Amino acid sequence: MANPTNAGNPKVDLAYRRKKNAAEMKHQVISFALMIALTLVAFFAVGYDEFSHWFSVPFILLLAAVQVAFQLYYFMHMSHKGHEIPALFLYGGVLVAFVTIWAFMTIVWW
Amino acid sequence: MSTVARKKSLIWDYLTTVDHKKIAILYLIAGGLFFLVGGLEALFIRIQLAKPNNDFLVGGLYNEVLTMHGTTMIFLAAMPLVFAMMNAVVPIQIGARDVAFPFLNALGFWLFFFGGVFLNCSWFLGGAPDAGWTSYASLSLESPGHGIDFYVLGLQISGIGTLIGGINFLVTIINMRAPGMTYMRMPMFTWATFVTSALILFAFPPLTVGLVLMMMDRLFGGNFFNAAAGGNTIIWEHLFWIFGHPEVYILVLPAFGIFSEIFATFSRKRLFGYSSMVFATVLIGFLGFMVWAHHMFTTGLGPIANAIFAVATMAIAVPTGIKIFNWLFTMWGGSIKFTTPMMYAVAFIPSFVMGGVTGVMNAAAAADYQYHDSYFVVAHFHYVIVGGVVFALLAGAHYWWPKMFGKMLNETLGKITFWLFFIGFHLTFFIQHFLGLMGMPRRIFTYLPGQGLETGNFISTVGAFFMAAATIILLINVVITSVKGEKVSADPWGDGRTLEWAVASPPPEYNFAQTPLVRGLDALWIEKMEGKKGLTPAEPLGDIHMPNSSILPFVISLGLFIAAFGFMYHAKYSWSLFVGIGGLLITFICMFLRSVVDDHGFHIHKEEVLETEKGVKA
């Protein structure tokens, strides 16, 4: 371990990398399964006549938000290190968009 | 390829350049020309208002001149001049060889340029836009002729250019800082550019949406803003101001950055309260998105919305106050040198504070019912924009002129320009506060005698001519300097603190022969204080990879320019639609070519770098 230039060499710490990749794969598969499940739940919520629209519309919007988070954090690797700046700008954009829509909902189309 | 073999004609060089320093010069020239046009329009306005019942510019023509003055000054003069400063300085300040996307940088410039030319073509093609720079939908949808169409399409094209420029600077500042240049070691102007670019990223999309909706309404039979058909005219006002208010900060934050550099340099002291300056800049950027409705207090938002927006607006005075005190404390105990840029900086503080104070007055919603649409508001925003942004651009031009062109502007002429401009500015706009309080509405083309408005308006007009004289002397200064000026060294002011003063004036096309190692805030100052002659390099001398120049950005923008004409006249001439489609085809084919044809750039070899550097040292 005297040679620090090996840091970028994929053969070093092979066991560690294997383990890490396996863990990541596991996360991806779990979130993929969850996303399919959430989609099915969403379809069910819309299709089931007993639920009123006042329940199902906010409910599927909530599910959509969860799915976006899964997509970003597990499939697009935002959970990894080095994604702080993209996250900052993403949330910045979300904030500006939210304030805009909020204003339109409250003082333009009241 | 050697540097000699790549020699080409000057015009072709600038049409195809992707070098941030040359693009800065393009922005400076184009922005400067539009500044002169906008200034001429301002003079016409002031001549018309010099005496009651004047008939120099009457009715509709006055509306056109007024609209084009505002639109030109904001979108085609102030914004590109800010971009000129950013392009000239920011990559060098962070120790980079260029911006992250040099091709996009050129594209951003040409889009702005063709958008601006398109907008000004309206003068020769049946009349300019005439609904004010805010172009409120209830007025602009009724405007006959093609004026508003020129506004909508021209701003759309130049807006894309601005958005591209903003994204480019974000990526540049995040990714291309030299080793050791942490966020909290970035010069204040770089920080300002960073926050400004983020504001551009979030503020321009609402404008784009608003312009698309208005384009639909005006050209393609839409009814988004047409209340008679179920639309809502207020939507435009909101979209416009969600863009428009951050736009104010897009302009003034770089101004703050420029002054921060100047105060530190000519007080020969580290900027006081650097970290609070950064905090204040970010906070102003953040709050800037929460206050847009203060432009619409009288629209009928209701007392709750008005109160929220009033309080949020007043909150901005706090970070701005932090900045003002930091600048004062930077000068405190410093060894101050009153150069031309420093004079603008010192004059900026009281001028801008006056604009800020009237801003808080306007922010009080109940009081705003009296100020609204009066000359008080005109006085307020001119104090902010001229006293803040224009002073900063003039100061920045004098400060970085030697860096951009390798020659120092004449200091005596520079000081004459300053005094004329400073006196003229206050003469023009101070009295307008009182004209407004006496009840003179903005945007009117004349007034009656005997209402107490004659003297104030006459004084205001005299002031405008002082500013015109100042501008002429500045132009003379530029010409004299270009012809006679002497070549200057890397650090012509002698007190440079940041990295741009470590490279030759003008810098070689690769900026740094070796990427520097940054060891703290004011990287060059640190090296100077340790008695070193140059920067500590962070890499060995080697071949430097450079991007190839390209004519594609020019042609892409030209395509949109043609397309805009085609779509504008499509209702009148059936063949015009094909002109529009043809223009879009030109654009898309060029984009396709750019995507498909690989461009690997070229290398400047180590030997050539050594030779250039030797020439610099000698």
Side-chain angles (χ1 to χ4, degrees), chain A residues 85 89 92-93 95-96 99-100 103-104 107-110, chain B residues 170 174 183 198 201-202 232 235 238 242 286 289 292 305:
Chain A
I85 295 278
F89 277 87
L95 182 74
V96 172
V99 170
T100 304
F104 272 68
I107 57 176
V108 184
W109 298 315
W110 64 89
Chain B
L170 279 177
I174 292 170
Y183 280 107
L201 178 67
F202 294 135
N232 187 342
I235 297 173
H238 276 284
I242 290 172
F286 176 77
F289 275 99
W292 77 88

Side-chain angles (χ1 to χ4, degrees), chain B residues 19 54 98 124 136 142 211 219 236 266 269 332 340 384 409 449 484 504 567 584 615-616:
Chain B
D19 180 352
N54 200 0
D98 205 323
F124 310 101
Y136 276 13
E142 298 300 322
L211 289 172
L219 295 174
W236 166 268
F266 295 115
K269 257 180 77 187
W332 187 289
T340 310
V384 177
L409 282 176
K484 279 196 189 162
F567 289 118
L584 284 185
V616 170

